[in-house]
Amino acid sequence: MANENPNANLPPELRALKQHIGKIIAGAIVLAVLFTSIYQVGPEEVGVVLQFGKYERTVTPGLNYKLPLGIEEVYKIPVERQLKQEFGFRTGEVGVRTQYMPDTPDLIEEAQMLTGDLNLADVEWVVQYRIHDPYQYLFKVRNAEKSLHDMSEASMRKIVGDRTVNEVLTVGRQEVATRVEEFLQSLSDEYELGITIDQVVLQDVNPPDAVRPSFNAVNQAQQQRETLINEALSDFNRVIPRARGAAQETIQRAEGFALTRVNRSVGESDRFTSIYEEYILAPEVTKKRLYLETMTSILPNIGSKIVMDENGNSVLPLLQMQPNQTRALEASN
């Protein structure tokens, strides 16, 4: 009776299950080992393997093997993917028409910052970055994403705080984004985040809602002022050069007239001097020559002269001998 088989009183199904339970346990262990030892790393990722919580190695994309049952653990880091953090707003749904989440007190507080001239501005921006060193990203700081978020906000507040509200809202936006990118990259390198900043984009910059109407009125007044100044400069550039040109033309004309008169006077003076010298040498000849030259220049301009006999009755017959003068006389009458 002591050697009686203890399984004899068991139903056949339980006896069969008890016989195969070892195989079932062994199979479960094999499956657990397989599922916990083989893993795949995506094409944009690298795998960081920890052994009992300590860094062991970094593996490349594809199928890889690790020690099973929790001995080794893998963190997949997207090193080839561009990541982003949003500040002052959050994207709710990305599609044909991007939907943004409604403003909350936290987002409003995150966006509001003080400018260098003690004005408030609502600044919304995006930081685009990549992970270039997975080891630093995982182990050099406690939470790299949170650290980057805090450093981004601190960098933006520092750069905006050094500029006026007009610079931040208008002409200085690109410079602000560039300076924030440079400063944020220097902080990331200093704290060894293992992150490369690709770009900082100012999404939207506006004055707070409470002062926006007043701010728009000031901007409108400044734009009107600039318009009036530009119109005045346009009139100045149109009228003043023309007046200067006319004045210069008058001056040059006067200088030309003066030069002409001076040259003519000098020429006449020299001519008179030369005639006088000739007159000293030959008075009669010179006098006669001067008389003839004078008559030659005068007589052609005085027309024909008719010398009448005192017994003459009429001048009409003589006028018929000068048809050209007759027609001129009739035309003048």
Side-chain angles (χ1 to χ4, degrees), residues 62-236:
L63 287 175
N64 293 274
Y65 172 81
K66 64 181 179 67
L67 296 179
L69 303 177
I71 299 175
E72 288 186 342
E73 186 179 4
V74 179
Y75 288 93
K76 299 177 183 180
I77 308 299
V79 294
E80 298 296 333
R81 188 185 311 159
Q82 187 180 70
L83 308 173
K84 71 174 182 177
Q85 288 187 355
E86 299 172 337
F87 298 84
F89 72 101
R90 296 294 185 272
T91 302
E93 181 181 355
V94 179
V96 178
R97 185 174 181 179
T98 304
Q99 300 293 328
Y100 297 100
M101 297 176 63
D103 292 339
T104 62
D106 293 339
L107 294 180
I108 295 175
E109 182 179 358
E110 185 178 74
Q112 281 189 355
M113 53 190 64
L114 192 67
T115 61
D117 54 354
L118 303 181
N119 284 301
L120 286 176
D122 289 341
V123 183
E124 299 176 359
W125 74 99
V126 177
V127 176
Q128 298 174 347
Y129 64 96
R130 297 178 189 272
I131 302 172
H132 73 270
D133 191 327
Y135 178 80
Q136 289 184 351
Y137 180 79
L138 288 175
F139 302 112
K140 289 296 183 178
V141 294
R142 185 179 299 273
N143 188 333
E145 294 289 334
K146 181 66 167 57
S147 300
L148 178 63
H149 184 279
D150 294 341
M151 288 191 296
S152 300
E153 188 172 348
S155 300
M156 182 62 71
R157 292 187 183 279
K158 178 183 183 302
I159 300 302
V160 170
D162 293 336
R163 282 158 178 77
T164 64
V165 66
N166 287 329
E167 290 177 333
V168 176
L169 293 175
T170 55
V171 296
R173 293 184 55 170
Q174 185 58 45
E175 183 185 0
V176 168
T178 302
R179 292 295 304 277
V180 170
E181 178 181 340
E182 295 172 353
F183 187 67
L184 183 57
Q185 184 64 65
S186 66
L187 288 179
S188 300
D189 296 339
E190 181 179 354
Y191 287 94
E192 297 182 339
L193 293 184
I195 287 175
T196 299
I197 306 301
D198 288 341
Q199 191 178 14
V200 175
V201 181
L202 289 181
Q203 185 80 1
D204 197 8
V205 182
N206 290 306
D209 294 337
V211 299
R212 187 170 299 177
S214 300
F215 189 86
N216 292 336
V218 171
N219 284 338
Q220 186 176 0
Q222 290 178 348
Q223 292 175 1
Q224 186 176 2
R225 173 176 172 269
E226 293 296 329
T227 301
L228 294 176
I229 290 175
N230 292 333
E231 290 177 355
L233 290 176
S234 177
D235 293 339
F236 176 86

